Amino acid sequence: MLAIQMVDLKRQYAHIKQEVDTAIQNVINNTAFINGPDVNAFAVELAQYLGVKHVIPCANGTDALQIALMALGLKPGDEVITPSFTYIATVEVVALLGLQPIFVDVDMDTMTMNIDSLKAAVTPKTKAIIPVHLYGQSAHMEPLLAIAKEHQIPVVEDNAQAIGGTYTFSDGTTKMNGSMGTIGCTSFFPSKNLGCYGDGGAIFTNDDALADELKMIANHGQKVRYYHERVGCNSRLDTIQAAVLRIKLKHLDRYNNSRRAAADFYDAAFSNHPNIKTPFRAAYSKHVFHQYTIQLHQVDRDALIQFLADHKIPSMIYYPVSSHEQKMLAAFGGANFKLPTTDALNQCVLSLPIHSELSDEELSFITQTVLNGIKAQQ
Ligand SMILES: *Cc1c(COP(=O)(O)O)cnc(C)c1O
């Protein structure tokens, strides 16, 4: 058995090596490194896949969120509601733009934005809501969108961890994650469900005017070359990354199904264990398991991590410090927010290896070692 990785990109590459190598070589042969034909082709293919009108590729997922907020025309001090239980990028861009992050709690089960907490946080100053489809589980979009609509607040979906996942509304309509809000954002960081071979990101919208604005912002605030209408930034997906993504997009559903199968294996091995709560799969969504994150009860988590490491099994705490407790956000009053579920999750979550190439042999070794590690503490 090879060394187990949190994400095994080498093995994934081995299956698509020929296709990828040829595509990259083509870009080099044509030296169309920036804005080559693959960039637009990928944007069109991804738009089709997601069922959205516009996909605007950009340099990374953090830029995607920043550009989305810039396009909404928010003013310094405007309030933006986000979970604290997320990767810091979601919140960092809010602070960077001089906006006020308003942290809300998450559900213990889905670990995504709690709807009551959201309701209570809306004020006349709320100018955007950023739900995060964390670990591959969709946020509960139907009630969230209803609240946003009632107060006419734009919704920016942070879909960096759940591309390819879906959400089903009570009328039976199913939509792709990232396609439901005013704007959707994603990251193609290598370890994401759809990852490239460097940095990359994209922004989605069905709104024509917003699409023009997003494109302009990502391109130095210009529509016509050298005529700059507003302050923007320089955020591009390079052609080599787009060429790789065009290939991997064709495999995305298979990759996500493999992740779901690995999650099934874990779930079965841990079912009814008194100390392990397996990831909740909300009936309204298709979980795509960017992470397989268990909640541990009455387990010394650090000791278990060490036990796994002793058996060469990596595991991670995503994330050891929640956003509102980060020093970065002290000036924004982060620590004043009371988020009991977020705090509780921080103490008990543990993410186990998950990727598209895990074998049953590896999965049984991991699950057995986790069970042994817990037993050793009792
Ligand atoms: C990865 C990630 C981002 C940022 O993406 P980058 O491409 O690394 O900038 C934003 N939000 C979430 C939830 C993420 O997981």
Side-chain angles (χ1 to χ4, degrees):
M1 200 163 60
L2 294 166
I4 294 173
Q5 317 264 341
M6 284 301 282
V7 180
D8 196 331
L9 293 173
K10 274 191 195 167
R11 257 194 281 173
Q12 192 190 61
Y13 168 61
H15 293 293
I16 52 172
K17 177 174 170 20
Q18 219 165 11
E19 251 185 307
V20 166
D21 291 0
T22 307
I24 292 177
Q25 190 59 54
N26 277 341
V27 176
I28 298 171
N29 292 346
N30 296 323
T31 65
F33 300 115
I34 299 294
N35 286 331
D38 284 314
V39 179
N40 192 49
F42 170 65
V44 169
E45 287 157 9
L46 185 60
Q48 257 160 14
Y49 176 82
L50 293 171
V52 294
K53 235 168 139 184
H54 305 279
V55 167
I56 296 107
C58 65
N60 56 67
T62 309
D63 276 10
L65 289 161
Q66 182 189 323
I67 294 164
L69 291 177
M70 287 171 80
L72 294 175
L74 311 192
K75 288 183 290 302
D78 283 350
E79 295 180 357
V80 177
I81 297 178
T82 89
S84 167
F85 196 68
T86 179
Y87 179 54
I88 193 67
T90 318
V91 180
E92 187 182 27
V93 294
V94 175
L96 180 73
L97 295 172
L99 306 167
Q100 174 61 49
I102 301 295
F103 294 106
V104 294
D105 218 342
V106 290
D107 279 342
M108 203 73 196
D109 281 338
T110 63
M111 302 186 263
T112 66
M113 195 180 277
N114 175 276
I115 298 301
D116 292 330
S117 194
L118 165 63
K119 262 187 209 155
V122 173
T123 75
K125 286 165 81 181
T126 309
K127 299 298 178 206
I129 301 169
I130 314 183
V132 181
H133 305 308
L134 197 73
Y135 303 146
Q137 165 63 58
S138 319
H140 201 353
M141 292 303 285
E142 184 159 1
L144 192 150
L145 289 169
I147 293 165
K149 192 172 173 191
E150 183 191 335
H151 300 276
Q152 298 189 317
I153 305 166
V155 172
V156 176
E157 291 175 76
D158 183 342
N159 192 30
Q161 300 195 1
I163 197 158
T166 61
Y167 183 93
T168 303
F169 290 81
S170 47
D171 68 359
T173 326
T174 293
K175 289 196 175 169
M176 304 296 287
N177 290 339
S179 73
M180 294 171 272
T182 318
I183 303 177
C185 297
T186 204
S187 162
F188 305 122
F189 186 81
S191 64
K192 307 284 174 162
N193 292 33
L194 178 61
C196 59
Y197 289 180
D199 272 309
I203 315 162
F204 330 127
T205 188
N206 287 311
D207 182 314
D208 297 340
L210 260 181
D212 285 345
E213 195 71 17
L214 292 162
K215 269 182 223 164
M216 178 165 75
I217 293 168
N219 186 24
H220 296 292
Q222 64 188 333
K223 274 185 197 147
V224 178
R225 208 177 204 181
Y226 304 127
Y227 292 82
H228 305 274
E229 294 179 33
R230 61 168 289 170
V231 175
C233 56
N234 173 25
S235 190
R236 296 184 283 241
L237 179 73
D238 70 68
T239 315
I240 287 183
Q241 302 311 332
V244 172
L245 286 165
R246 287 187 74 191
I247 294 161
K248 289 188 65 175
L249 178 60
K250 291 187 284 182
H251 299 282
L252 178 59
D253 287 340
R254 187 168 60 76
Y255 292 155
N256 281 337
N257 287 335
S258 303
R259 287 172 178 271
R260 286 163 57 81
D264 290 344
F265 192 109
Y266 277 129
D267 280 1
F270 299 148
S271 70
N272 302 319
H273 194 288
N275 306 104
I276 302 174
K277 181 174 152 141
T278 56
F280 181 77
R281 305 187 194 195
Y284 51 69
S285 61
K286 179 182 171 190
H287 200 312
V288 288
F289 291 97
H290 175 59
Q291 300 297 342
Y292 184 86
T293 305
I294 54 176
Q295 296 174 24
L296 295 166
H297 296 292
Q298 277 138 3
V299 171
D300 179 341
R301 183 171 58 169
D302 290 337
L304 179 62
I305 292 170
Q306 189 54 53
F307 186 90
L308 293 171
D310 291 343
H311 293 80
K312 302 208 160 23
I313 297 171
S315 61
M316 294 289 283
I317 299 170
Y318 297 116
Y319 298 91
V321 181
S322 41
S323 308
H324 74 292
E325 303 277 11
Q326 297 284 355
K327 188 174 169 192
M328 176 205 275
L329 292 155
F332 293 81
N336 299 335
F337 289 87
K338 296 286 164 271
L339 308 170
T341 308
T342 298
D343 294 342
L345 285 172
N346 248 301
Q347 297 307 308
C348 74
V349 288
L350 184 66
S351 298
L352 299 174
I354 193 153
H355 53 78
S356 54
E357 320 295 321
L358 272 173
S359 67
D360 282 3
E361 188 195 6
E362 289 170 314
L363 284 162
S364 19
F365 179 63
I366 299 166
T367 49
Q368 206 47 60
T369 312
V370 169
L371 296 172
N372 290 343
I374 293 174
K375 204 177 275 170
Q377 292 182 16
Q378 289 162 346

